[in-house]
Amino acid sequence: MRSIPFWPRWLGLAGLLPGTACAVAAWFGPAGWVEPARSIGALYAALILSFLGGMWWGIAAGAPAAERRRTLGWLWIAAVVPSLVAFACLLPWALGYAMLEPVLVMLGAAIWLSLGVDARLASLAPRWWMALRVPLSLGLGAAALATAFA
């Protein structure tokens, strides 16, 4: 992580705090904290999943014009998918048709799967991109799963 610039490193790590706090609250807090921790954890995971799509959109928009036209159609599409997945995961729960455990599992898995898109960005992203993205995605995905199974 030392190769990652100061602000992305520390702000990225700070971004793990809400998900981790939800997992800790669900596992070790009073019984009455489990459902609120799951709700907040699911909302936060969905928010971050959407944020990842926004980062990809920004990378696509900042790419050289020739590359945007020629090869980045997949990235524009991939950039929209996280928000749609987050919405699809939360909608049944928001309408009262789903429990939070499967919602958190799907969101955690989606965050882990997002690393596939991150890996394909190697030619456009900073050199330190994957050194930051891997621990953050693994950490938040694990926090979502831990919260689900509390």
Side-chain angles (χ1 to χ4, degrees):
M1 296 269 293
R2 291 179 191 229
S3 66
I4 302 166
F6 178 83
W7 289 110
R9 179 179 59 229
W10 288 106
L11 292 173
L13 290 171
L16 290 175
L17 293 175
T20 303
C22 288
V24 169
W27 275 92
F28 302 109
W33 289 11
V34 174
E35 287 309 306
R38 285 181 175 158
S39 297
I40 295 166
L43 291 171
Y44 187 70
L47 178 75
I48 294 301
L49 189 60
S50 293
F51 175 77
L52 294 176
M55 288 193 315
W56 300 338
W57 187 277
I59 289 172
E67 192 158 0
R68 278 197 313 265
R69 284 190 301 274
R70 189 179 66 246
T71 62
L72 290 181
W74 72 270
L75 185 53
W76 292 104
I77 295 166
V80 174
V81 170
S83 295
L84 297 175
V85 168
F87 179 76
C89 288
L90 290 178
L91 184 62
W93 166 69
L95 295 175
Y97 297 121
M99 296 184 342
L100 283 166
E101 292 87 347
V103 169
L104 283 159
V105 169
M106 289 184 289
L107 289 167
I111 290 168
W112 282 349
L113 290 171
S114 73
L115 288 171
V117 173
D118 285 323
R120 287 198 59 193
L121 295 175
S123 65
L124 298 171
R127 288 185 321 252
W128 47 264
W129 183 258
M130 289 306 289
L132 178 68
R133 294 298 317 126
V134 169
L136 295 183
S137 290
L138 293 179
L140 186 57
L145 292 173
T147 305
F149 296 116

